[in-house]
Amino acid sequence: MPERPDYPSLIAGHTVVLDMINNGDAGLPVLHHLLRLAQRALGAAGTSFAEYGPTSGRIIAAAGAAEWSIGRPVDLGDPVTAQLLAGPRTVEFPVTALSAEQADQIAGRGLHRMLTARAEIGGVLIGSLHAYYPDLDGEASPEHHTLIAYLSSHIAHMYGDQSGLPVHGDGPVVAALADGLAIIDDESCVRLWNPAAERLTGSLARERLHRPIPFPVPPSGQVVDHQQPDGRWLRVTSGELPGFVASRVVTFRDISDQHRRDHDVDLFIAVTSHELRTPVTVIKGYAETLGDHWDSLSDQERREAARVLGQRATELARLVDRLLAAANDAGPVAGGRLATFDLAETLRAAVDTLPAELRRRLTVDLPPELPKAFGDRSSLATVLTELATNADKYSPGSTPVELTATADERTVVFRISDRGIGVHPEHVERAFDRFWQGESGDQRRYPGAGLGLYLVRQIVERQHGWVSLRPRDGGGTVAQVRLPRG
């Protein structure tokens, strides 16, 4: 191995690389030239670059005596690779430190030592640069270590620019290593803490090194989900670190969104089974009563049973529609056509579709010259039904539910007001969340799936309007819907 790098070759070769980049060259052609430059400047017999993915790596470019290795897979579990990942930026070792197969292949070409540097962006490992030497015992000088680290950083910048690189995959080469990565010792103290770990935990490396890892670590090969103090969820995995005594690699990623989705699925199933059970039980009971006791029932009893069956079937169909719409995250307006329409006429028609008991409670006060609205006329029946049903459910039957409307220069407004239990100011936004209920569990006094207001907001906002709740002076709630004027 030469005593010092060949700096004139470095300068001349680097000028060519810059000219290539300025002329629009990118990707593998530039990388190949950088490897030939590295070979000359480092006095190596050959050079190669391995690009790493989430679970494996591959030699994508090589020069000199290492050209044969292009396309060769790289085992990320190899002790030398693990050492590069966890240790100093550059590592020198005899090829006999590699797996037997790799050592035989490299040594069979007269190459016996390797000088390696990792290429990383922001602490995320994307690959490694290798220089091969025939020397059995010679050691690289500090200048050689500095130079190979310098050249590997140039390759890393090529990846950062995504100029024809990475060769494999669509995004950053090791997207998985955007996950948190830590190396811990046998006492669970941190030896390595990458930038992604800092972002995910809010704990800087200088604060975390040589201190216990701040969450539970599962046994090797297992997974554990951990909730942080800020409410976010991490999925933590661990594995043994090959080549190191009593050390483990710990990786973790933010799964808060997935956790919320899983929670929503579980909640959807629970709510669905609970809310469907009541109308189905009533329908089944009345149907059995009619089938088993038809002859003994009076005409009035049969008509009452048929009325209840129809009412419950309507409730069931409406509930199924709401559940399906919520599950698909799409309100009934998804396929509607936005146009100018008569809001007062539309609201009066929608009132006629409400259940008879609710119509009897509803007082309607719509001004005769109410301006037209712009939106999806067909969806207003759903909006009115949900808001009026909500008001009916949360207010005494002896009090009225009021439908009123007004307009200003840009919007038309209709309101559903009740004299019920009211809405807490801190709940006026949460009430629009999917599946949210002001009461839960055995303490719930009011049935419902927690979907009505969620669907109303979806429908109204897709018409470029908005909906809000507020406590009513003197008690009760006002639900207000604003739509653009036509």
Side-chain angles (χ1 to χ4, degrees), residues 222-274:
Q222 297 186 26
V223 178
V224 65
D225 290 348
H226 167 73
Q227 188 173 25
Q228 299 192 107
D230 63 4
R232 290 186 301 161
W233 284 86
L234 298 180
R235 177 153 294 167
V236 186
T237 62
S238 78
E240 299 300 326
L241 183 60
F244 289 82
V245 177
S247 293
R248 280 191 289 169
V249 179
V250 181
T251 60
F252 45 98
R253 64 178 56 186
D254 190 331
I255 60 162
S256 301
D257 289 342
Q258 178 184 339
H259 197 272
R260 281 191 289 271
R261 287 193 297 270
D262 292 344
H263 175 73
D264 277 355
V265 170
D266 293 342
L267 189 57
F268 177 80
I269 293 171
V271 167
T272 301
S273 61
H274 174 77

Side-chain angles (χ1 to χ4, degrees), residues 73 77 102 107 134 149 193 199 218 241 243-244 253 265 327 329 332 337-338 380:
Q102 281 183 289
W193 193 252
R199 292 193 298 273
L241 183 60
F244 289 82
R253 64 178 56 186
V265 170
D329 198 24
R337 185 175 66 87
L338 301 183
L380 262 293

Side-chain angles (χ1 to χ4, degrees), residues 285-310:
Y286 272 88
E288 289 176 350
T289 298
L290 287 174
D292 296 342
H293 306 286
W294 179 269
D295 293 334
S296 62
L297 295 173
S298 66
D299 286 345
Q300 181 178 351
E301 289 172 328
R302 293 170 188 162
R303 283 194 294 270
E304 176 62 17
R307 185 191 70 78
V308 173
L309 282 172

